[in-house]
């Protein structure tokens, strides 16, 4: 038992040392627990800026069962593939030589992160098999910034490890003139579809993009792009927007609370409401990153809040957003995901019925689904998750943008931020 543990430690060290960004900010979601024991001391000062999962290292080391089955260095996956359009999960497992029963065990672990459903063309999947052709490890490579690994325990169940690497964020100012639609003008200057939609949705109550813009009007957008080892990951955030229409101009700046305000400190995006329901229901299970699974005895984080809603209870969008996924999962049941800008995401599990489709815009208060008891569940309830920058937080306690107007004190800090952003956008 002891030797097995030591070699696993070595392997963890090797694998993390192999990551190119150990010197960068490394964020840990549902963590490769033993690996984390190595990483925490080196990255403490960096981790403190976020909300890392706290780990009770002693308890983990003394934990005797179950143990990971990986005892040797697995240098090459047995099968790896870049996802292409048309690939299905069961098809990929089949190609990887993994049976359906094992796939279900992986899906069971996936319940905590729901990463398998988010695979897109261009992402990579890797299967490691042991000498007996049993799946030992499965890795999903989403980007240099995000990987998810499932590793088998000796009892046949799988553990999920999510590694999010923060990298560095750089500002980029994009400016241009309207010539034709805003969409085409912005695209020509290097903004992508998601960024353009974000700008349009931010200013939608201030400006009708189809009607109010004239050729020659000027726009300027301050973008914050994520880089890992000098390569842009595709993740970005918008920090400021100005549209100059000659006599008048429209501005939006993102404040430190994640909300957008105009220059006068008035909130642009409508705030979130705390719960996605029309009235309060009893909470049957709270958000708990350290929850112990009653059967396996392992730490199995509860990444959301469960509301004891009877089947058919209306579920509403807690804020404006775009539906990014409506799907079925063996354990999560029927579920819906909504993106609220780049930073916030919400998830609704075990639904009986979805009332929205992928790509649909929803506004705060809109009924998006009916709660239910689908998936692996002991009784009907709504499991609600709130994510900030890809990380699940306690929906009942997280600091989410709920204020509409900055206080006098906040206003001082905001004015300073606007001055700096304007400078970056070449406007002062
Ligand atoms: Zn739950």
């Amino acid at each position: 038992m002891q030797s097995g543990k030591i070699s696993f430690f070595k392997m963890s060290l090797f694998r993390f040392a192999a990551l190119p960004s150990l010197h960068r900010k490394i964020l840990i979601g549902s963590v490769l627990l033993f690996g984390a024991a190595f990483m925490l001391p080196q990255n403490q000062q960096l981790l403190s800026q976020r909300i890392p999962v706290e780990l009770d290292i002693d308890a983990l080391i003394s934990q005797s069962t179950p143990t990971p089955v990986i005892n040797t260095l697995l240098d090459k996956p047995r099968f790896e593939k870049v996802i292409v359009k048309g690939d299905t999960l069961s098809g990929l497992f089949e190609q990887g030589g993994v049976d359906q029963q094992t796939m279900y065990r992986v899906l069971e672990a996936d319940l905590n992160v729901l990463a398998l459903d988010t695979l897109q063309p261009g992402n990579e999947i890797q299967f490691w098999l042991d000498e007996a052709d049993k799946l030992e490890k499965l890795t999903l490579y989403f980007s240099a910034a995000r990987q998810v690994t499932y590793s088998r325990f000796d009892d046949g169940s799988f553990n999920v490890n999510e590694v999010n690497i923060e990298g560095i964020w750089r500002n980029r100012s994009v400016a241009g003139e309207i010539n034709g639609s805003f969409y085409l003008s912005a695209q020509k200057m290097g903004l992508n579809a998601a960024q353009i939609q974000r700008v349009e949705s931010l200013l939608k109550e201030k400006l009708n993009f189809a009607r109010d813009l004239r050729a020659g009007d000027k726009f300027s957008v301050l973008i914050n792009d994520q880089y890992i080892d000098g390569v842009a990951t595709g993740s970005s955030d918008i920090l400021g927007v100005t549209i100059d229409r000659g006599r008048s101009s429209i501005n939006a700046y993102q404040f430190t609370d994640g909300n957008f305000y105009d220059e006068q400190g008035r909130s642009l995006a409508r705030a979130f409401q705390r719960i996605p329901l029309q009235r309060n229901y009893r909470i049957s299970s709270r958000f708990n990153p350290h929850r112990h699974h009653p059967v396996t005895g392992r730490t199995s984080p509860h990444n959301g809040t469960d509301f004891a809603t009877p089947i058919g209870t209306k579920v509403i969008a807690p804020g404006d957003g775009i539906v990014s996924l409506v799907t079925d999962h063996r354990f999560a049941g029927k579920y819906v995901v909504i993106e609220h800008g780049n930073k916030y995401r919400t998830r609704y599990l075990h639904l009986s019925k979805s009332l929205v489709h992928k790509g649909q815009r929803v506004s705060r208060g809109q009924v998006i689904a009916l709660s239910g008891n689908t998936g692996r569940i002991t009784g009907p309830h709504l499991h609600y998750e709130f994510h900030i920058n890809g990380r699940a937080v306690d929906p009942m306690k997280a600091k989410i943008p709920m204020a509409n107007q900055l206080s006098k004190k906040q206003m001082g800090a905001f004015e300073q931020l606007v001055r700096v952003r304007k400078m970056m956008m070449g406007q002062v």
Side-chain angles (χ1 to χ4, degrees), residues 20 39 88 106 148 198 239 246 279 314 318 367 371 376-377 382:
M39 293 159 68
T88 63
V106 173
V148 175
R198 181 79 180 123
L239 300 181
R279 64 175 186 83
K314 285 177 181 160
V367 179
S371 74
R376 185 177 66 181
I377 195 168
L382 173 71

Side-chain angles (χ1 to χ4, degrees), residues 285 291 302-306 349-350 381-385:
S285 178
R291 183 177 64 169
H302 187 233
N303 286 332
T305 299
D306 290 350
L349 273 56
H350 313 303
H381 70 263
L382 173 71
H383 171 105
Y384 173 53
E385 292 182 15

Side-chain angles (χ1 to χ4, degrees), residues 395-408:
M396 303 309 286
K397 290 186 184 148
K399 261 191 167 175
I400 57 178
M402 299 184 73
N404 282 313
Q405 174 95 40
L406 293 174
S407 68
K408 272 218 173 84

Side-chain angles (χ1 to χ4, degrees), residues 130-249:
D130 63 15
E131 310 80 51
D133 290 340
K134 276 170 78 184
L135 182 67
E136 215 155 63
K137 199 175 80 165
L138 174 71
T139 295
L140 309 179
Y141 185 93
F142 291 96
S143 69
R146 180 162 189 255
Q147 288 110 50
V148 175
T149 297
Y150 308 83
S151 357
R152 195 177 89 234
F153 281 104
D154 56 3
D155 66 354
S157 67
F158 283 81
N159 183 41
V160 63
N161 322 296
E162 191 178 22
V163 177
N164 291 306
I165 300 163
E166 186 70 348
I168 53 164
W169 294 77
R170 283 191 207 138
N171 292 327
R172 165 169 64 113
S173 172
V174 174
E177 256 184 36
I178 304 289
N179 188 4
S181 70
F182 172 70
Y183 193 97
L184 289 174
S185 315
Q187 199 179 40
K188 211 161 68 190
M189 299 313 296
L191 262 63
N192 65 31
Q195 290 160 342
I196 297 168
Q197 274 166 14
R198 181 79 180 123
V199 169
E200 288 180 345
S201 122
L202 268 175
L203 300 179
K204 69 173 185 230
E205 279 165 35
K206 295 254 171 187
L207 185 72
N208 181 331
F209 280 84
R211 210 185 51 207
D212 297 345
L213 290 174
R214 300 277 174 277
D217 288 350
K218 294 181 177 63
F219 64 90
S220 175
V221 183
L222 185 63
I223 301 172
N224 196 224
D225 296 305
Q226 186 189 42
Y227 288 84
I228 293 189
D229 287 334
V231 179
T233 63
S235 283
S236 70
D237 198 7
I238 285 172
L239 300 181
V241 186
T242 297
I243 294 191
D244 188 353
R245 293 188 295 164
R247 255 176 302 168
S248 69
S249 75

